Amino acid sequence: MLLPSVSERSALTRRREQLAKALGSAAALLASSRPRPRNYAADQFPFRASSHFLYLFGLAAPDGVGLYDGQGWTLYLPEPGPDDALWDGAVPGFAEIAERTGCTVRSRAELPAALKGRDVATLPTPDLETCLDVAALLGREVRPGHLAAVDVPLADAMIALRLRHDDAAQAQLRQAAEVTVLAHLAGMHATRPGILEAAVRAAMEAEFVSRDMRPAYQPIVTVHGEVLHNLRYDHTLREGDLLLADVGGESPAGFACDVTRTWPVTGRFSTTQRELYDVVLRMQKASIDAVQPGTRYRDVHLAAHREMARGLVALGILRGDPEELVVDGVTALFFPHGVGHLLGLDVHDMEDLGDRAGYAPGRTRSPEFGHRSLRLDRDLEPGMAVTIEPGMYQVPAILSDARLMARAKDRLQRDVLARYADVRGIRIEDDVLVTPDGNEVLTAAIPKEASDIEAVMTSSARPAPGR
């Protein structure tokens, strides 16, 4: 069982106090999660507690439950089994856990009595088994992605807390970013024609594993960058390919890093690859510049589209007024997703709560293609962490869809686009912290200028894993 560090105790205590203040006398229950068997009970996936539970207790405790009874917090945990020490090693006692978390700890067997006669709010975990467990405790339906009326004030209070990262959370985001820098450098150094995508993935993940960390999400390492969430690694890298790597580490306390870089398999961009890469890089820089306190995130998203329109018009791929190309949805044909999302304990932070977390009250998703995939539409505030990840993709399913392509009319020059056939997909992504006077790019140490990427890939220096 992973315990929080002594230095994290004050932050955890403060978070629980802030949530208690927001809840007043209303009771709330936050569950960890159940262990997940891979194919039989004793062969389990790596355990991860639910993010809301981690935020308050910092404890990777299977089947743990935190209860606020209207006066204070109590952590209910299963009693160690008679064989736990044999199979899993020494298990920390309740007294040690109480010392590390700053919270009263009691046996899980006492929880039903503590809940008796109470109307208790909860936040459903993403897994159904834990939801069924909580439902049995509360005597009502609890299912992933659904909030009952009694749960809504708890959800809103938790969102308000987790939207802005405290100093302890920011330190964890930085730690995840530091290791992710090494992973991307290792990936660039490992890339060469003739190997599988899996070999590059292995080199990148080695940087996490050698530090007793793990990826924050399933890595994307692919020569088919036009497939946005491509989880295949069996393609052979060939000369002329671009490799898109969307890989981020998770800190010991569970905070995520989320970074994408795109680099040439040979170490050198072709002329056409460089031209489109530079368009995407300008898109990203324009969006990062727009990350300021008070800025609406949708405007950050549109800044990338406007820069794409200007860039593709300059290359002759599109023609017409750049602003009209954005408004008419023409740029969305090549950039069909949102520019980013919240980042924190979840790589898409608090997405288990749906658009309630990502969208400010009164705002809803656009119905328009591409723009409807924007995961965040709030006014930015200091302490928020967001990703900025524009891309340029040639997706066959889009380019061959007459209904979608009708919006382009005669403004798409397909003969010019055909010259860029060596670009399937390019995405450039960084993690950005909103500061009182602007922003800080937490992942700025990962090369993204085309010339810097080429310099890294042609360098003979190779970082050693674990150093």
Side-chain angles (χ1 to χ4, degrees), residues 37-382:
R38 183 173 181 270
N39 46 16
Y40 57 91
D43 182 18
Q44 298 178 352
F45 286 105
F47 177 77
R48 190 186 190 279
S50 68
S51 294
H52 301 301
F53 183 89
L54 280 177
Y55 184 75
L56 297 176
F57 301 102
L59 188 67
D63 293 317
V65 173
L67 176 65
Y68 175 67
D69 64 3
Q71 296 181 325
W73 289 94
T74 302
L75 187 57
Y76 292 88
L77 300 175
E79 295 275 2
D83 294 333
D84 284 0
L86 171 63
W87 295 105
D88 302 324
V91 179
F94 286 180
E96 182 181 0
I97 295 172
E99 173 63 27
R100 290 289 195 95
T101 61
C103 186
T104 301
V105 180
R106 291 180 180 162
S107 171
R108 171 76 185 252
E110 300 178 39
L111 180 57
L115 292 171
K116 190 173 182 179
R118 292 183 179 274
D119 193 15
V120 181
T122 193
L123 298 180
T125 60
D127 68 297
L128 182 59
E129 283 198 359
T130 304
C131 285
L132 292 174
D133 187 24
V134 173
L137 287 168
L138 300 184
R140 62 178 175 90
E141 183 184 42
V142 177
R143 55 187 170 90
H146 174 75
L147 295 175
V150 68
D151 302 328
V152 169
L154 172 60
D156 289 342
M158 184 65 81
I159 290 168
L161 281 179
R162 288 182 57 186
L163 275 175
R164 293 171 293 278
H165 295 296
D166 56 28
D167 290 344
Q170 291 183 30
Q172 289 290 322
L173 290 170
R174 295 180 196 282
Q175 185 174 358
E178 288 171 3
V179 181
T180 301
V181 170
L182 300 176
H184 278 263
L185 291 173
M188 292 178 190
H189 284 303
T191 300
R192 64 183 183 275
I195 65 173
L196 294 179
E197 298 156 326
V200 180
R201 176 195 176 190
M204 299 182 77
E205 288 197 48
E207 297 298 326
F208 304 137
V209 175
S210 64
R211 293 166 177 82
D212 196 25
M213 296 170 65
R214 59 189 176 188
Y217 52 94
Q218 183 80 359
I220 299 167
V221 182
T222 181
V223 294
H224 284 281
E226 78 280 9
V227 181
L228 298 185
H229 285 174
N230 195 335
L231 300 181
R232 290 181 57 181
Y233 314 100
D234 60 332
H235 300 104
T236 299
L237 276 56
R238 305 188 187 284
E239 291 189 13
D241 283 341
L242 293 175
L243 186 69
L244 185 152
D246 188 337
V247 180
E250 182 176 280
S251 77
F255 283 81
C257 183
D258 186 6
V259 172
T260 307
R261 291 291 186 267
T262 307
W263 57 78
V265 165
T266 60
R268 297 287 183 188
F269 290 95
S270 72
T271 299
T272 47
Q273 289 170 344
R274 177 70 178 263
E275 287 175 346
L276 284 183
Y277 184 91
D278 285 346
V279 169
V280 178
L281 186 58
R282 290 195 298 271
M283 292 165 64
Q284 201 219 21
K285 289 180 177 180
S287 290
I288 290 175
D289 287 346
V291 174
Q292 303 282 336
T295 298
R296 182 175 178 176
Y297 192 77
R298 186 174 185 274
D299 292 335
V300 177
H301 170 75
L302 291 175
H305 276 273
R306 293 188 181 100
E307 192 59 46
M308 169 177 264
R310 287 190 285 267
L312 296 186
V313 167
L315 293 177
I317 295 173
L318 296 178
R319 62 185 180 185
D321 177 69
E323 188 66 30
E324 289 182 2
L325 292 169
V326 174
V327 172
D328 293 347
V330 180
T331 51
L333 299 171
F334 298 100
F335 176 24
H337 61 78
V339 79
H341 48 78
L342 291 169
L343 182 73
L345 276 166
D346 308 308
V347 67
H348 292 175
D349 209 30
M350 297 185 285
E351 201 160 288
D352 61 307
L353 299 175
D355 286 349
R356 188 174 207 94
Y359 276 63
R363 295 179 185 172
T364 57
R365 292 200 181 215
S366 167
E368 298 299 324
F369 176 78
H371 302 296
R372 63 173 174 250
S373 297
L374 183 62
R375 301 176 186 272
L376 176 61
D377 188 11
R378 285 182 175 270
D379 294 343
L380 298 175
E381 301 177 49

Side-chain angles (χ1 to χ4, degrees), residues 356-427:
R356 188 174 207 94
Y359 276 63
R363 295 179 185 172
T364 57
R365 292 200 181 215
S366 167
E368 298 299 324
F369 176 78
H371 302 296
R372 63 173 174 250
S373 297
L374 183 62
R375 301 176 186 272
L376 176 61
D377 188 11
R378 285 182 175 270
D379 294 343
L380 298 175
E381 301 177 49
M384 285 183 174
V386 298
T387 65
I388 301 296
E389 50 181 302
M392 162 76 192
Y393 313 91
Q394 297 197 59
V395 182
I398 294 176
L399 295 175
S400 62
D401 187 321
R403 180 183 58 84
L404 285 175
M405 297 305 297
R407 69 190 64 196
K409 299 178 181 177
D410 62 349
R411 293 175 289 184
L412 171 60
Q413 303 293 96
R414 285 189 180 263
D415 58 331
V416 180
L417 181 65
R419 301 174 198 163
Y420 296 85
D422 60 350
V423 175
R424 298 188 184 106
I426 296 170
R427 183 164 65 253

